[in-house]
């Protein structure tokens, strides 16, 4: 299974991609991709994410996907 780096891929072909929260927030081109599935790992703070916080790009990214999973080992 190949996982590509979102920061270094401009064409966004079919496949699996990985990015940090900071990388995805900085890459507005990700919002143009019709994502089927997005996994936010270590997202214990996601409940506090709003369109008005510094997490706004990730909130918009979640809205751009058909399915989203938030995972965290933090109780």
């Amino acid at each position: 299974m190949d996982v590509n780096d979102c920061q270094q891929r401009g064409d966004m072909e079919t496949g699996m991609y990985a990015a940090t929260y900071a990388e995805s927030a900085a890459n507005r081109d990700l919002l143009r991709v019709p994502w089927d599935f997005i996994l936010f790992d270590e997202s214990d703070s996601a409940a506090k994410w709003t369109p008005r916080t510094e997490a706004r790009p990730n909130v918009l990214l979640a809205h751009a996907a058909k399915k989203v999973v938030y995972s965290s080992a933090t109780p």
Side-chain angles (χ1 to χ4, degrees):
M1 173 180 336
D2 292 327
V3 178
N4 303 302
D5 184 354
C6 284
Q7 282 293 94
Q8 298 176 2
R9 301 283 300 198
D11 54 2
M12 302 303 287
E13 298 171 357
T14 299
M16 194 175 304
Y17 295 87
T20 65
Y21 287 117
E23 289 170 344
S24 63
N27 190 347
R28 298 293 181 156
D29 290 336
L30 297 179
L31 296 175
R32 294 187 214 154
V33 176
W35 296 104
D36 290 323
F37 179 81
I38 294 178
L39 169 68
F40 288 104
D41 191 24
E42 296 303 325
S43 60
D44 52 293
S45 64
K48 300 174 192 163
W49 291 357
T50 71
R52 297 184 188 271
T53 65
E54 66 278 354
R56 182 176 196 275
N58 291 318
V59 172
L60 296 175
L61 185 60
H63 287 289
K66 293 177 186 172
K67 303 281 184 185
V68 178
V69 170
Y70 298 93
S71 69
S72 177
T74 305

